[in-house]
Amino acid sequence: MGNAQAISHTNVEISSKVPMDELVALCKRRGFIFPASEIYGGINGFWDFGPLGVLLKNNLRDRWWRDMVITPPIGPDGEPLQIVGVDTAIIQNPKTWEASGHIAGFSDPMVDCKETKLRYRADHVMVLLPHTSKMPPAPKVPSVAFVEGTPLQDIEKHIKKIAKKLGISISLKDFIGHQYREIEGSELNIAVHHDKLPLTQINKDKYTEIVAPDADVPGTLTEPRAFNLMFETQVGAVRDDSSKAYLRPETAQGIFLNYKNVVDNMRVRVPFGIAQVGKAFRNEVTPRNFIYRSREFEQMEMEWFCHPDEAKKWFEFWTEMRKSWWADVGVSSSNLQLRQHDKDELSHYAKAGVGTVDIEYRFPFTAPGFGELEGIAHRCDFDLTQHEKHSTKKMEYFDDSVQPPRRFLPHVIEPAAGLTRGVLAVLAEAYTVDASRPSQMYMKFKPSMAPVKAAILPLINKDGLPEIAQKLYYCMRTKFMTEYDAKSNIGKRYARHDEIGTPFCITVDTETPKDQAVTIRFRDTMAQERVALDRVEAFVAKALAE
Ligand code: ATP
């Protein structure tokens, strides 16, 4: 997640005004995303993609795969880059995670609440200190903790509850003092959402004065403890320590495990890349913000193996490439920012390298701030060195294209993107409020990302219109994701397609049998254009290529 330093809260134009609760409701209503196991009350941190959601997710995934593996970018020397794909097992030999450092170090600081038995990520818990100058000396007013991103009205409610329980008179105002205003400007909600006092910065002795996010009385939070995020499982019939295995917390390691196979068996030369898309699992302490932080999610990762001397050049190349890619799939660059990691924030593998940069998106729940969408890291030779050590297999690369030939361990530049988070960014970006429409909004997907590209709508179900519409549908469905939709009145059909973001509604009307033409309604402008039946396919194909 973005730290506050990169974000200027003053004079920030909030371009993202997407109502998050409405976006979540739309996703359910229109079959994009459902809570997992909903009929059993759900399961925190897990989500299911519905019929429209899986189309959208696959569009984003396929576009990434196409731009990485099928037609990789042209490199700085004007030649196409070499990138190959893999699809590796989710469960690998557990030594993998020893070598990668995940068993020892992949943990988050976690605190428990003794009153509610709830668990929080310490670095996500924010603490509001009472504004002491306004407070009477007695009774003692506690500090109030909340999970970062909690809506203002929920914090207010929490404070009221505490006041009642402790028999004191306090309100939110008593906690938002001048110090917050100075830092953040005059907007109360920004001050609360970007509070500068995470729990991790508060002395443990003061925990007795803090009311936990869901508790009624102070002093129920435990000290932070490291909590490993990997899901454990057992492989085989015997359940003991020797059968313990882990669900992968990142797709990257499957790539490093196959680095040698690829070098030895494929015709690749350094520099080259190996790409993978797939599920990753993290037992996140506080999954939240819809699919932004879930416990099962998908990643799109590419490991770029290069000579150590060229790491900086490739780091810069991939940073630019990846930022412009998000703009290409419809994420407005005004809602994207690059954020360089501070030295003390760098992962263990990136410490000695040229750095790590996050591509951040202004998600509705982080606005006006940003949240991580993709990280580009210089992993140095950390992973190959570790796997060489733990497996005792040589990972060196022999380069005979130079004189004298040389052996070296390649360095790695890794653009690691969240596919699931990417879907959320694309959804948030597409959500467009428009009071002039019956649906009050529409999903302005880039046509190539839209789950349904075209809808064929016979105006009425008689007079030969369904026959013409079906003929067109049978032709279009072999080329694009097309829906045939003959139910309800035309206004309702347009409204539904606005809500699911279909860029083209193609209406077969009573004129069509006479003029052999249809009306194409454009989702974004609602303008309509008459197009000859035999030109419809080419018309849609052209728009999708943009
Ligand atoms: P964060 O700081 O948000 O926990 P991270 O820095 O640990 O993320 P990486 O390990 O760099 O994330 O993973 C690469 C990408 O995978 C992230 O940029 C993000 O898009 C995605 N990702 C990571 N954790 C999650 C999660 N719990 N749910 C959904 N996507 C995730």
Side-chain angles (χ1 to χ4, degrees):
M1 286 273 301
N3 76 356
Q5 278 170 351
I7 304 160
S8 156
H9 294 305
T10 45
N11 304 324
V12 182
E13 195 198 321
I14 307 175
S15 62
S16 182
K17 287 211 175 116
V18 178
M20 200 51 204
D21 46 350
E22 283 173 30
L23 177 63
V24 175
L26 175 96
C27 282
K28 169 137 192 240
R29 191 170 73 246
R30 289 303 182 195
F32 284 94
I33 296 161
F34 305 124
S37 323
E38 196 181 9
I39 59 168
Y40 293 108
I43 169 165
N44 197 8
F46 297 87
W47 298 90
D48 291 338
F49 281 80
L52 273 285
V54 70
L55 289 170
L56 176 64
K57 175 157 71 72
N58 289 353
N59 288 343
L60 194 61
R61 179 199 66 188
D62 293 349
R63 177 65 190 263
W64 186 88
W65 192 258
R66 190 190 89 189
D67 292 345
M68 283 293 183
V69 180
I70 313 289
T71 43
I74 304 293
D77 62 358
E79 296 283 321
L81 303 181
Q82 286 182 94
I83 303 180
V84 295
V86 291
D87 184 4
T88 70
I90 282 171
I91 295 177
Q92 299 281 358
N93 187 312
K95 285 186 188 147
T96 305
W97 311 109
E98 245 168 65
S100 68
H102 283 85
I103 289 179
F106 191 56
S107 56
D108 280 332
M110 170 206 86
V111 288
D112 285 307
C113 172
K114 288 178 268 184
E115 181 187 324
T116 61
K117 308 283 177 251
L118 291 170
R119 177 167 284 183
Y120 308 94
R121 223 173 110 169
D123 54 335
H124 288 170
V125 174
M126 296 293 159
V127 180
L128 289 173
L129 305 176
H131 181 202
T132 44
S133 64
K134 276 194 183 170
M135 307 310 281
K140 183 131 181 68
V141 174
S143 301
V144 174
F146 64 95
V147 176
E148 196 186 14
T150 304
L152 196 63
Q153 55 276 32
D154 292 354
I155 298 173
E156 260 179 317
K157 263 193 236 150
H158 186 208
I159 291 172
K160 273 195 196 132
K161 211 169 122 215
I162 297 167
K164 200 166 163 207
K165 184 80 187 177
L166 301 181
I168 52 178
S169 146
I170 45 170
S171 72
L172 180 65
K173 264 206 293 309
D174 301 318
F175 291 87
I176 313 283
H178 59 276
Q179 73 270 39
Y180 296 99
R181 287 175 187 277
E182 270 166 27
I183 297 165
E184 308 287 2
S186 59
E187 285 171 86
L188 214 58
N189 60 342
I190 294 176
V192 174
H193 279 85
H194 297 282
D195 189 278
K196 298 286 188 235
L197 280 177
L199 186 66
T200 43
Q201 281 177 26
I202 291 183
N203 195 312
K204 315 280 178 306
D205 306 343
K206 297 273 178 210
Y207 277 26
T208 51
E209 295 166 21
I210 299 171
V211 184
D214 300 278
D216 292 340
V217 294
T220 62
L221 282 176
T222 62
E223 285 196 11
R225 293 189 276 135
F227 171 73
N228 195 297
L229 298 184
M230 280 197 296
F231 279 102
E232 288 180 13
T233 186
Q234 306 284 137
V235 174
V238 182
R239 294 192 163 256
D240 62 17
D241 261 8
S242 69
S243 63
K244 198 192 294 183
Y246 303 90
L247 303 192
R248 68 180 177 202
E250 61 175 27
T251 56
Q253 292 306 321
I255 295 179
F256 294 119
L257 296 178
N258 283 286
Y259 158 80
K260 226 181 121 45
N261 278 334
V262 171
V263 170
D264 292 348
N265 301 308
M266 308 299 297
R267 294 154 48 117
V268 291
R269 310 285 311 153
V270 168
F272 73 94
I274 308 180
Q276 162 152 252
V277 179
K279 291 254 170 153
F281 303 82
R282 295 183 187 177
N283 197 4
E284 296 278 358
V285 180
T286 41
R288 67 211 164 103
N289 292 332
F290 196 28
I291 56 171
Y292 178 83
R293 185 173 302 287
S294 42
R295 289 178 166 144
E296 175 175 344
F297 56 96
E298 277 177 87
Q299 293 184 310
M300 309 187 284
E301 298 196 294
M302 196 274 292
E303 308 302 321
W304 179 253
F305 299 90
C306 63
H307 189 273
D309 294 348
E310 295 196 329
K312 189 166 185 298
K313 171 181 106 178
W314 288 113
F315 179 77
E316 283 159 11
F317 175 85
W318 282 113
T319 302
E320 276 319 303
M321 229 359 130
R322 295 302 307 147
K323 186 165 180 243
S324 64
W325 187 85
W326 285 107
D328 284 349
V329 296
V331 178
S332 148
S333 45
S334 64
N335 284 330
L336 287 172
Q337 75 164 16
L338 293 177
R339 190 182 66 85
Q340 194 84 37
H341 280 210
D342 295 333
K343 272 264 173 283
D344 57 356
E345 210 190 329
L346 289 172
S347 317
H348 51 291
Y349 53 75
K351 285 245 175 342
V354 295
T356 295
V357 74
D358 285 344
I359 300 177
E360 298 187 326
Y361 176 67
R362 186 180 283 138
F363 287 96
F365 43 83
T366 58
F370 294 76
E372 177 177 335
L373 184 56
E374 169 162 359
I376 293 129
H378 176 199
R379 294 181 78 120
C380 306
D381 57 5
F382 175 83
D383 304 271
L384 293 183
T385 307
Q386 285 297 101
H387 288 304
E388 191 169 77
K389 215 157 71 193
H390 286 252
S391 70
T392 69
K393 303 278 182 311
K394 278 265 168 257
M395 300 282 168
E396 265 181 350
Y397 178 78
F398 179 64
D399 185 3
D400 58 2
S401 71
V402 288
Q403 277 310 324
R406 56 187 180 177
R407 284 180 192 281
F408 62 91
L409 266 186
H411 272 210
V412 169
I413 304 298
E414 173 197 73
L419 172 57
T420 319
R421 260 186 214 179
V423 168
L424 181 55
V426 170
L427 282 166
E429 191 70 24
Y431 192 102
T432 310
V433 176
D434 181 355
S436 74
R437 302 182 188 226
S439 54
Q440 305 284 303
M441 54 72 65
Y442 65 106
M443 292 301 276
K444 197 177 178 177
F445 294 119
K446 203 167 169 175
S448 56
M449 286 296 122
V452 178
K453 312 293 187 214
I456 314 282
L457 318 172
L459 186 63
I460 46 173
N461 276 314
K462 55 182 185 181
D463 300 340
L465 304 196
E467 288 75 12
I468 300 175
Q470 286 211 356
K471 194 166 163 222
L472 181 61
Y473 168 65
Y474 274 92
C475 164
M476 293 278 286
R477 71 193 278 275
T478 62
K479 305 286 183 333
F480 322 103
M481 182 65 210
T482 309
E483 266 193 13
Y484 182 82
D485 191 352
K487 289 195 196 83
S488 71
N489 71 45
I490 195 74
K492 282 203 181 131
R493 281 182 272 170
Y494 284 158
R496 173 171 170 269
H497 284 286
D498 276 352
E499 285 198 346
I500 68 171
T502 309
F504 307 107
C505 281
I506 301 164
T507 305
V508 174
D509 56 28
T510 48
E511 290 301 304
T512 307
K514 293 172 225 156
D515 66 359
Q516 294 298 303
V518 289
T519 300
I520 299 188
R521 173 193 184 263
F522 298 86
R523 175 197 64 199
D524 300 351
T525 56
M526 294 187 284
Q528 305 203 352
E529 191 175 323
R530 201 80 188 153
V531 174
L533 264 172
D534 59 3
R535 278 193 47 235
V536 172
E537 187 189 314
F539 186 95
V540 173
K542 183 164 175 280
L544 292 179
E546 281 162 11

